[in-house]
Amino acid sequence: MNKVILLGLDGANWHILEQMLSKNIMPNLQKIIKSGTQGNLESYFPYTSRTSWLSMFTGCNPGKHGIPHHIVGGRPEINT
């Protein structure tokens, strides 16, 4: 059985990372990339971390996994 490591850099983008890698600022990340693979996360609206990570791990869009937004400070306010 093959082992898999998923390394997600929240908020990072390849344009900035490639500049840093070309200057050898991140040699350990460069080694990981050379021995593995890389790609872009195609995200769903709304473009928040919680929604994107859950969509990636579940394979469902926010409407299906039930977390359509990032809740700050606990439970969302319920208007009655």
Side-chain angles (χ1 to χ4, degrees):
M1 177 181 284
N2 293 329
K3 295 180 183 180
V4 174
I5 294 175
L6 174 65
L7 174 65
L9 303 175
D10 202 351
N13 70 56
W14 284 112
H15 178 71
I16 294 170
L17 286 175
E18 287 170 352
Q19 289 177 9
M20 296 173 80
L21 293 169
S22 69
K23 295 176 183 176
N24 204 30
I25 294 172
M26 305 173 80
N28 292 326
L29 181 60
Q30 184 69 41
K31 289 177 191 174
I32 292 170
I33 292 169
K34 284 184 177 181
S35 65
T37 188
Q38 69 185 51
N40 291 318
L41 171 64
E42 294 294 328
S43 194
Y44 290 101
F45 180 82
Y47 306 110
T48 61
S49 293
R50 175 181 256 176
T51 302
S52 297
W53 284 104
L54 286 169
S55 295
M56 181 177 60
F57 285 122
T58 64
C60 298
N61 66 39
K64 296 211 179 192
H65 63 57
I67 310 294
H69 53 78
H70 190 81
I71 300 168
V72 178
R75 296 169 50 192
E77 208 174 291
I78 300 172
N79 296 323
T80 55

